[in-house]
Amino acid sequence: MNLFPARTASHQRSLSTGGLLRFCRRYLSVALLLVLWQAGAQAGLIPSRLLASPVQIVHTAWSLTLDRTLPQNLLVSLGRAGAGLVLGIAVGVALALVAGLSRVGEDIVDAPMQMARTLPALALVPLFILWFGIGELPKILLVALGVKFPVYLNLYKGIRSIDPKLIELAKTLGLSRWKIIRDIIIPGALPDLLVGIRFAVGISWLMLVVAEQVNADSGIGHMMMDAEDFLRTDIILVGLAVYAVLGLLSDQIVRLAEGRLLTWRGRTAVQGGTR
């Protein structure tokens, strides 16, 4: 039985009001920028051939949606980004485990990874075309290439940051190496891994722009390149807006997963504070 219904209802209203105010503050600057942009375009201060107005961009996006151009290209780009993201995360996790769990593995893996992550992606495009052709494979591999580095770096750091005393205690208790990895190392390094995945998701969209320049005949990047030939800044900006929205949504998804996977941290903090 709720003995304080009025207080509970008031508390829920205050939470919802606070969330609304926080949302407004978060996107107020974006809304103001769009208003100024539209005003400048209507006043003739911003030529439409150089920068389409927000209203024109929305109109173009709606037209591209109705004729199926935008949805079809979006599905192709999502497929490439998703495949590259999964592959890059898998490779990054595997390499981080090899380097983080063994000194020999670190000597073998870490130096080449540190060298490779400084190479510019655009410089690798000709090699990827030479090695893998001009189909879908080089596009997916370019995305995976960019994704694996933040995953590797953050997970490697997480593994190396685990307290050695915990591992010594586990060995004293007779835990096998696999159980130590499963029950101590992976949970302890999980927060750093999720941070790496958040970076990786953002990088996947950046690498996709590069990847879709490799003789692509579909995808958001291809749509933007075609628009460039015809000086259609409205279509180019639609593509950029799609990338921005996808980046925001994917980051929110990872943050939601992070909140669910790391609920034990909140419980631990509460228990520690009540001692």
Side-chain angles (χ1 to χ4, degrees):
M1 178 185 246
N2 188 0
L3 299 178
F4 304 100
R7 182 178 177 181
T8 302
S10 176
H11 180 64
Q12 291 176 347
R13 285 195 299 270
S14 64
L15 286 177
S16 61
T17 303
L20 180 61
L21 289 175
R22 184 172 179 271
F23 178 84
C24 292
R25 287 199 308 266
R26 184 178 179 87
Y27 295 102
L28 179 62
S29 59
V30 177
L32 180 60
L33 178 62
L34 291 175
V35 169
L36 293 175
W37 181 0
Q38 181 65 37
Q42 289 183 341
L45 300 176
I46 304 176
S48 60
R49 66 182 183 84
L50 297 179
L51 189 64
S53 68
V55 171
Q56 185 180 356
I57 294 170
V58 171
H59 182 268
T60 300
W62 180 247
S63 300
L64 293 173
T65 302
L66 290 179
D67 66 13
R68 306 290 299 169
T69 299
L70 184 58
Q72 290 173 358
N73 285 303
L74 178 58
L75 287 175
V76 172
S77 292
L78 285 173
R80 290 167 180 161
L85 186 64
V86 171
L87 179 60
I89 289 174
V91 173
V93 167
L95 292 174
L97 290 173
V98 171
L101 298 175
S102 167
R103 291 294 180 185
V104 176
E106 179 184 14
D107 294 338
I108 295 173
V109 171
D110 192 60
M113 286 292 290
Q114 298 299 338
M115 295 169 63
R117 73 185 182 91
T118 62
L119 298 176
L122 284 174
L124 296 174
V125 170
L127 285 176
F128 273 58
I129 294 175
L130 180 64
W131 293 340
F132 307 111
I134 56 176
E136 290 298 304
L137 183 59
K139 301 175 181 62
I140 294 173
L141 292 179
L142 277 170
V143 175
L145 176 69
V147 162
K148 73 177 181 179
F149 294 117
V151 174
Y152 167 81
L153 291 171
N154 282 275
L155 181 56
Y156 172 77
K157 176 253 181 185
I159 293 172
R160 289 298 186 181
S161 300
I162 293 174
D163 190 348
K165 294 180 181 178
L166 291 176
I167 299 177
E168 291 297 326
L169 177 61
K171 290 180 179 178
T172 303
L173 294 175
L175 269 68
S176 65
R177 182 171 177 81
W178 163 243
K179 287 186 176 180
I180 292 174
I181 295 173
R182 184 192 65 185
D183 299 334
I184 296 177
I185 293 178
I186 292 180
L190 185 59
D192 293 282
L193 173 60
L194 291 172
V195 171
I197 291 176
R198 284 187 66 185
F199 281 112
V201 167
I203 290 175
S204 68
W205 300 116
L206 297 177
M207 293 299 295
L208 184 64
V209 178
V210 177
E212 290 185 335
Q213 295 178 6
V214 183
N215 197 42
D217 57 4
S218 59
I220 299 298
H222 167 73
M223 183 183 76
M224 294 169 64
M225 290 177 64
D226 274 356
E228 181 184 1
D229 294 336
F230 296 98
L231 301 178
R232 290 292 303 274
T233 61
D234 53 341
I235 297 179
I236 295 174
L237 289 169
V238 167
L240 291 176
V242 168
Y243 281 130
V245 171
L246 289 174
L248 179 62
L249 291 177
S250 55
D251 182 72
Q252 292 297 320
I253 291 172
V254 177
R255 291 181 66 179
L256 179 62
E258 183 179 10
R260 292 183 177 275
L261 291 172
L262 301 181
T263 52
W264 55 269
R265 289 201 306 182
R267 290 197 298 266
T268 302
V270 171
Q271 291 170 0
T274 56
R275 286 193 182 99

